[in-house]
Amino acid sequence: MIDPPSLVDQYCHGVLRTELGLGTFEAQLARTEGPPAPGTTLFDTQTGFAVRRWCPPLLGLEPHCAPSRYLARRRELGTMEAGRRLLRGSGITAYLVDTGLPDDLTDPGELARAGQAEAHEIVRLEQLAEQVADTSGTVESFLANLAESVHGAAAHAVAFTSVAGLRHGLALAPEPPGAGEVRGAAGRWLAARGAGDRLTDPVLLRHLLWIAVASGLPLQLHAGLGAPGARVDRTDPVLLTDFVRATAGLGTDLVLLHGYPYHRHAAHLAGVFPHVYADCGAALVRTGARAATVLAEVLELAPFGKILFSSGARGLPELHVVGAHLFREALARVLGAWVSEGAWSLADAQRVATMIASGNAGRVYGVG
Amino acid sequence: MIDPPSLVDQYCHGVLRTELGLGTFEAQLARTEGPPAPGTTLFDTQTGFAVRRWCPPLLGLEPHCAPSRYLARRRELGTMEAGRRLLRGSGITAYLVDTGLPDDLTDPGELARAGQAEAHEIVRLEQLAEQVADTSGTVESFLANLAESVHGAAAHAVAFTSVAGLRHGLALAPEPPGAGEVRGAAGRWLAARGAGDRLTDPVLLRHLLWIAVASGLPLQLHAGLGAPGARVDRTDPVLLTDFVRATAGLGTDLVLLHGYPYHRHAAHLAGVFPHVYADCGAALVRTGARAATVLAEVLELAPFGKILFSSGARGLPELHVVGAHLFREALARVLGAWVSEGAWSLADAQRVATMIASGNAGRVYGVG
Amino acid sequence: MIDPPSLVDQYCHGVLRTELGLGTFEAQLARTEGPPAPGTTLFDTQTGFAVRRWCPPLLGLEPHCAPSRYLARRRELGTMEAGRRLLRGSGITAYLVDTGLPDDLTDPGELARAGQAEAHEIVRLEQLAEQVADTSGTVESFLANLAESVHGAAAHAVAFTSVAGLRHGLALAPEPPGAGEVRGAAGRWLAARGAGDRLTDPVLLRHLLWIAVASGLPLQLHAGLGAPGARVDRTDPVLLTDFVRATAGLGTDLVLLHGYPYHRHAAHLAGVFPHVYADCGAALVRTGARAATVLAEVLELAPFGKILFSSGARGLPELHVVGAHLFREALARVLGAWVSEGAWSLADAQRVATMIASGNAGRVYGVG
């Protein structure tokens, strides 16, 4: 009854091209600091159970079959063919792909071909800055090249994304840093920087955010659960409130990614500020059988025109599948229950489902 | 089966007296910083959907009819008549009305007549202080008049309310400020103050809280979601813990309003401190179809004798209606499920429903 | 269908030996600062209702009978006999007992005999340090005796527990304090200390944590709801993140107790760090009819091999009963729903239920 016709995955990554064994596959199921504890496996998580539910049937197996059986079948088909079957079984019609990971993942074009779908690039600001630093000799050239690179990226990408929250925390000073401050920070960073050093300086992170805002392209900000190494409360999106206020009225949309366990806070900001949007997908892949509840929590405060689906998938096409299926099922269950209780009309529920699945993303990013 | 016979709305405002068009009505559905984003409408929110569910039938229309049709019918009846039908259809038998908003809203007497119900005044401390400042020439006269005004208000009001959390944040020093400190802060504020300037000085906000505590009247403290301009984490009621501890045993009850998304924290304080009460209504108007869950979250830690219903409604009688209906339905569903699972007895559920709907408020405020 | 064969209660206390009247029994139902508010009773809480649901049948009465009737029956049987019937009706097969409370509660041996179960001791670090301080004349002897006591306790206890979060807050510097710093803090504490003074010095609390970590025994850290006197946000387990990171790879497991209302944060840490485990029981006793939801929230991010049941019971055998029954019922309901929706297989659900009920505790503590 409530089944949106297409899905725009507003934030994901490519998939690994290599064959995966049980251990290398398992390691992609969660973001951890260290291997699983003795006597435990990452298959025994909501993500692991969701993969075992949704993916085996796409490869011709029973749901919930043992991981070893699933991986044997995956190897039998080959990584490419398994990936094609999985991605084409996800129901995703457009992928917005963050290409800024150091891992060797498929690029948007490959993802599009494998999944028979559209794909568009999201440019990760910190990665862009690091690449520019690698090829810039002086502070002046670094800053000029950076501005040019962001400008150039804006011409072909559909969005920028920032992991400032994971690198430094979201409690950043809200205003743009002054030119002298930026030059000083850039000089210190470039001088101290070894090959591969990541950008964590808060002045440069803010500078990046503001040149991205100036581009007018939607800016996605990672909040809540993210990379290991962060402290999760430092990624609470409420910490962005003053930055959000400072960027109001400039014509650039801000999209709060992930959010969980602070997704109610992200939804609140999406409700208060016209230019703020809330993601409702990446957390579902992590919370599996609880997806309907987590989605419903986002639907408390976020206006329905401000919610965007994503899978947040990375590395495994199984995660795109799980993201898409958990989302569709959660949406149907949550909105369906509200319809059957009389709280919502069916027509409204169907309209809102389509908005969240693809319509809002189409409007914000101009895709789909 | 579980349907409390009457409702005391322990915190609301009056309603607008003017005719409302689609845009002016929509603007009352949420508290935002700025107009709805292009392509979106505030009708597409939980509050908007709840209004469309509960209100059209009270004006003779189908639930979930289009906003434009609803507003046409509302204009046809006239603001006064529509307001009467709505308020009388809410089931609220007593309104406690915060009269401290600058907007031109109906006063408690008008609300009582329109709704055929009791109405009582809640005095907003910051507004009282601003009015006193408008008419006091010196620091000494300001402080004396303020004390007298609070004393005078205590004679006719049923409660004080403070928005210190929205003006400054709830992380206020817990003890009463010293007399010299208060005089200094008052002097600076009065000297710098232009017409209409709001009170935000933390020393004066604390001074207000403490003279209100001394009055013995229940003191309602806004926490969680509130006015635009605040940062929501600064309104987490746990920030009040030391103030709560400092006021224990003085004979004055503290009521934590709203609370969401920190309503579990408010419930915790209501469980630990004898003089603390938790609101369970205003958040329901904001979260609509999710009202049962939000109410259930309050019911986790808050003793059942410490929970109070409110609508938190402001401006539109529709919000009083929605607050009341969402609360009744959520209460019936949550407690009813616990009865059918055997977790609660039916007699207990009915008794608790009446306590939360009106009994606790009757005891705390002496009304109903 | 989903009913684990045995329960290991990984954290509880003994029970009172004295006869209890209505008021003294009621006072054990919650941790409050002050007596119930006028017109209210602590029986009107989730804990009170859960006790009235589960315990009367074990003493031959109807569920939900009046508290006075229940207590009359309890007195009729006598404290010892009532305790035996209750504990044996809990289904708990092993108790891990924190013996570090000043109250006169039954010791693990008595609990084991009364409940016909295993019992093991958990040593509370702060209590141990206070006892050592009582009998040590100098800083040097205090520190040497403390090290020896912890070493000695590790030989017979199954775990250490720390209430540093309740005494000081969990925002402790993550690294071990230096030897000079410890000597200074010990000197100041011993000199200023009166009889019965509790340890709250952050340097000594950290010192205790680190000598416990060095012992290799699992270390249980209280987080979230706990003793009155604390501010609940200071017990958010995310504040432990850097300490957790500092102790990674040392071979000592950390168990986050309670957690609520920050149980999603505790689950997150259990997901990211191999040596971190999350409790899922003590919060159920506090939240009663909401136990299934609270348990489900823990099951969002915590790997299933990292979740441990406890009752957190203290003083009343009724609380052990309630902890066990709420847990079993919540587990059956949550996992059963996931099986019936097809999200989990039945075999997986049964396996996970046994892991959480006893298997994980058996592995971590070597019991059961």
Side-chain angles (χ1 to χ4, degrees):
Chain A
M1 239 173 28
I2 296 165
D3 192 20
S6 64
L7 287 187
V8 174
D9 183 348
Q10 70 138 355
Y11 184 82
C12 66
H13 301 276
V15 300
L16 291 163
R17 296 187 182 90
T18 51
E19 293 269 302
L20 298 172
L22 200 61
T24 46
F25 186 94
E26 181 188 352
Q28 298 292 323
L29 293 175
R31 313 292 302 280
T32 62
E33 301 193 21
T40 74
T41 157
L42 295 177
F43 281 103
D44 283 348
T45 55
Q46 293 286 1
T47 306
F49 278 26
V51 165
R52 287 176 50 220
R53 173 196 198 176
W54 293 110
C55 299
L58 295 175
L59 306 189
L61 302 173
E62 290 292 298
H64 302 299
C65 71
S68 57
R69 190 164 166 220
Y70 178 74
L71 282 160
R73 174 65 177 151
R74 200 182 194 274
R75 279 191 301 274
E76 187 181 289
L77 290 168
T79 300
M80 285 287 285
E81 176 58 21
R84 272 191 294 266
R85 294 193 188 190
L86 290 163
L87 292 172
R88 291 173 191 188
S90 71
I92 295 170
T93 49
Y95 296 94
L96 277 55
V97 187
D98 174 0
T99 54
L101 284 180
D103 310 345
D104 182 32
L105 303 175
T106 55
D107 64 35
E110 290 169 275
L111 204 64
R113 283 186 298 278
Q116 286 187 314
E118 281 180 41
H120 305 273
E121 186 177 4
I122 300 166
V123 170
R124 187 183 282 223
L125 293 167
E126 292 80 9
Q127 159 87 349
L128 190 72
E130 289 154 9
Q131 288 173 337
V132 169
D134 287 342
T135 57
S136 300
T138 65
V139 168
E140 277 64 33
S141 70
F142 167 69
L143 293 174
N145 293 343
L146 185 61
E148 198 178 332
S149 290
V150 171
H151 185 76
H156 69 270
V158 293
F160 288 108
T161 194
S162 165
V163 290
L166 307 176
R167 295 281 179 91
H168 175 271
L170 293 175
L172 293 160
E175 69 283 356
E181 213 184 340
V182 172
R183 270 196 306 276
R188 282 187 301 277
W189 183 56
L190 293 172
R193 186 167 183 261
D197 268 17
R198 303 196 312 163
L199 177 61
T200 60
D201 178 84
V203 169
L204 295 180
L205 292 171
R206 286 163 55 210
H207 178 60
L208 278 173
L209 293 176
W210 279 98
I211 55 180
V213 165
S215 81
L217 220 56
L219 172 58
Q220 300 176 333
L221 295 152
H222 287 250
L225 289 186
R231 212 177 88 177
V232 74
D233 58 331
R234 296 193 175 135
T235 66
D236 184 339
V238 299
L239 299 170
L240 281 171
T241 308
D242 291 329
F243 175 75
V244 165
R245 200 168 275 130
T247 57
L250 300 180
T252 298
D253 289 328
L254 305 180
V255 180
L256 303 173
L257 293 180
H258 303 291
Y260 183 100
Y262 304 104
H263 45 297
R264 281 172 158 172
H265 299 181
H268 161 65
L269 292 172
V272 171
F273 294 98
H275 64 311
V276 174
Y277 291 77
D279 180 56
C280 76
L284 308 189
V285 176
R286 309 287 292 270
T287 56
R290 290 282 293 168
T293 299
V294 173
L295 176 66
E297 289 174 343
V298 174
L299 285 163
E300 288 166 5
L301 284 195
F304 311 134
K306 309 294 279 308
I307 305 174
L308 299 161
F309 164 69
S310 79
S311 69
R314 163 180 178 164
L316 301 179
E318 281 82 358
L319 300 177
H320 298 83
V321 168
V322 158
H325 281 279
L326 287 172
F327 169 72
R328 272 175 189 273
E329 192 187 60
L331 196 67
R333 184 175 328 159
V334 169
L335 303 196
W338 293 344
V339 171
S340 67
E341 293 161 11
W344 287 28
S345 73
L346 177 59
D348 278 330
Q350 288 170 329
R351 184 172 60 86
V352 167
T354 300
M355 287 162 63
I356 299 176
S358 61
N360 295 335
R363 198 176 62 247
V364 170
Y365 300 108
V367 303
Chain B
M1 239 174 24
I2 296 165
D3 192 21
S6 64
L7 287 186
V8 175
D9 183 347
Q10 69 137 356
Y11 185 82
C12 66
H13 301 276
V15 300
L16 291 163
R17 296 187 182 89
T18 51
E19 293 269 303
L20 299 172
L22 200 62
T24 46
F25 186 93
E26 180 189 353
Q28 298 293 323
L29 293 176
R31 314 291 302 281
T32 62
E33 301 193 21
T40 75
T41 156
L42 296 177
F43 281 104
D44 283 348
T45 56
Q46 293 287 0
T47 307
F49 278 27
V51 165
R52 287 177 50 220
R53 174 196 197 175
W54 294 110
C55 298
L58 295 174
L59 305 189
L61 301 173
E62 289 293 298
H64 302 297
C65 71
S68 57
R69 189 164 167 221
Y70 178 75
L71 281 160
R73 174 66 177 150
R74 201 183 194 274
R75 278 191 302 274
E76 186 182 289
L77 289 167
T79 301
M80 285 288 284
E81 176 58 20
R84 272 191 294 266
R85 294 192 187 191
L86 290 163
L87 292 172
R88 291 174 192 188
S90 72
I92 296 170
T93 49
Y95 296 93
L96 276 57
V97 187
D98 174 0
T99 55
L101 285 179
D103 310 344
D104 182 33
L105 302 175
T106 55
D107 64 35
E110 290 170 275
L111 203 64
R113 284 188 297 279
Q116 285 187 314
E118 281 181 41
H120 305 274
E121 186 177 5
I122 300 166
V123 170
R124 187 183 282 223
L125 292 167
E126 292 80 8
Q127 159 87 348
L128 190 72
E130 289 154 9
Q131 288 172 336
V132 169
D134 287 342
T135 57
S136 300
T138 65
V139 169
E140 277 64 33
S141 71
F142 167 69
L143 292 174
N145 293 344
L146 184 61
E148 198 177 332
S149 290
V150 171
H151 185 76
H156 69 270
V158 293
F160 287 109
T161 194
S162 165
V163 289
L166 307 175
R167 295 283 179 90
H168 175 271
L170 293 175
L172 294 160
E175 70 282 356
E181 213 184 342
V182 171
R183 271 196 305 276
R188 283 187 300 276
W189 183 56
L190 293 172
R193 186 167 185 262
D197 268 15
R198 302 195 315 162
L199 177 61
T200 60
D201 178 84
V203 169
L204 295 179
L205 291 171
R206 287 162 56 208
H207 177 62
L208 278 173
L209 292 177
W210 280 98
I211 56 179
V213 165
S215 81
L217 221 57
L219 172 57
Q220 301 176 332
L221 296 151
H222 287 250
L225 289 185
R231 212 177 87 177
V232 75
D233 58 331
R234 296 192 174 135
T235 66
D236 184 337
V238 300
L239 299 171
L240 281 170
T241 307
D242 291 330
F243 176 75
V244 164
R245 200 168 275 130
T247 58
L250 301 179
T252 298
D253 289 328
L254 306 179
V255 180
L256 304 173
L257 294 179
H258 303 291
Y260 183 100
Y262 304 104
H263 46 297
R264 281 172 157 172
H265 298 181
H268 161 66
L269 292 171
V272 171
F273 294 97
H275 64 309
V276 174
Y277 291 77
D279 180 56
C280 76
L284 309 189
V285 176
R286 310 287 291 270
T287 56
R290 290 281 295 168
T293 298
V294 173
L295 175 66
E297 289 174 343
V298 174
L299 285 164
E300 288 166 6
L301 284 195
F304 311 133
K306 310 294 280 308
I307 305 175
L308 300 160
F309 163 70
S310 79
S311 70
R314 164 180 178 165
L316 301 179
E318 281 82 358
L319 300 178
H320 298 83
V321 167
V322 158
H325 282 278
L326 287 172
F327 169 72
R328 272 175 188 275
E329 192 187 58
L331 196 67
R333 184 176 327 159
V334 170
L335 304 197
W338 293 343
V339 170
S340 67
E341 293 161 11
W344 287 28
S345 74
L346 177 58
D348 278 330
Q350 289 171 328
R351 183 172 61 86
V352 167
T354 300
M355 286 163 62
I356 300 176
S358 60
N360 295 335
R363 198 176 64 247
V364 170
Y365 300 107
V367 303
Chain C
M1 239 171 29
I2 296 165
D3 192 21
S6 64
L7 287 187
V8 175
D9 183 347
Q10 69 135 358
Y11 185 81
C12 66
H13 301 275
V15 300
L16 291 163
R17 296 188 183 90
T18 51
E19 294 270 302
L20 299 172
L22 200 61
T24 47
F25 185 94
E26 181 189 353
Q28 298 293 323
L29 293 175
R31 314 292 304 281
T32 62
E33 300 192 22
T40 75
T41 157
L42 295 177
F43 281 104
D44 283 347
T45 56
Q46 293 286 0
T47 307
F49 278 27
V51 165
R52 287 176 50 220
R53 174 198 198 174
W54 294 110
C55 298
L58 294 175
L59 305 189
L61 301 173
E62 289 293 297
H64 301 298
C65 72
S68 57
R69 191 165 166 219
Y70 178 74
L71 281 159
R73 174 65 178 150
R74 201 182 193 275
R75 279 191 301 273
E76 187 181 289
L77 290 167
T79 300
M80 284 287 283
E81 176 58 20
R84 273 192 293 267
R85 294 193 188 190
L86 290 163
L87 292 173
R88 292 175 191 186
S90 72
I92 295 170
T93 50
Y95 296 94
L96 276 55
V97 187
D98 175 359
T99 55
L101 286 178
D103 310 345
D104 182 32
L105 303 174
T106 55
D107 63 35
E110 290 169 275
L111 204 65
R113 283 188 297 279
Q116 286 187 313
E118 282 180 40
H120 305 273
E121 186 177 4
I122 300 165
V123 170
R124 188 183 281 223
L125 292 167
E126 292 80 9
Q127 160 86 348
L128 190 72
E130 288 154 9
Q131 287 173 337
V132 169
D134 287 343
T135 58
S136 300
T138 64
V139 168
E140 276 65 32
S141 70
F142 167 69
L143 292 174
N145 293 343
L146 185 61
E148 198 178 332
S149 290
V150 170
H151 186 76
H156 70 270
V158 293
F160 288 108
T161 194
S162 166
V163 290
L166 308 175
R167 295 280 180 90
H168 175 272
L170 293 176
L172 293 160
E175 69 283 356
E181 213 184 339
V182 172
R183 271 196 306 276
R188 283 186 300 276
W189 183 55
L190 292 172
R193 186 167 183 261
D197 267 18
R198 303 195 314 163
L199 177 61
T200 60
D201 178 84
V203 169
L204 294 180
L205 291 171
R206 285 163 55 209
H207 178 60
L208 278 173
L209 292 177
W210 279 98
I211 55 179
V213 165
S215 80
L217 221 57
L219 172 57
Q220 301 176 332
L221 296 152
H222 288 250
L225 289 186
R231 211 177 88 177
V232 75
D233 58 331
R234 295 190 175 138
T235 67
D236 184 339
V238 300
L239 299 171
L240 281 171
T241 307
D242 291 330
F243 175 74
V244 164
R245 201 167 275 131
T247 58
L250 300 179
T252 298
D253 289 329
L254 305 179
V255 180
L256 304 173
L257 293 179
H258 303 292
Y260 182 100
Y262 304 105
H263 45 299
R264 280 172 159 174
H265 299 182
H268 162 64
L269 292 172
V272 171
F273 294 97
H275 65 310
V276 174
Y277 291 77
D279 180 56
C280 76
L284 309 188
V285 176
R286 310 287 291 271
T287 56
R290 289 281 295 167
T293 299
V294 173
L295 176 66
E297 289 174 343
V298 174
L299 285 163
E300 288 166 5
L301 283 196
F304 311 134
K306 309 294 280 307
I307 305 174
L308 300 160
F309 163 69
S310 80
S311 70
R314 164 181 178 163
L316 301 179
E318 281 81 359
L319 300 178
H320 299 82
V321 167
V322 158
H325 281 279
L326 286 172
F327 169 71
R328 273 176 189 274
E329 193 186 59
L331 196 67
R333 183 175 328 157
V334 170
L335 303 196
W338 293 344
V339 170
S340 68
E341 292 161 10
W344 287 28
S345 74
L346 177 60
D348 278 330
Q350 288 170 329
R351 183 172 60 87
V352 167
T354 300
M355 287 163 60
I356 300 176
S358 61
N360 295 335
R363 198 176 63 247
V364 169
Y365 300 109
V367 303

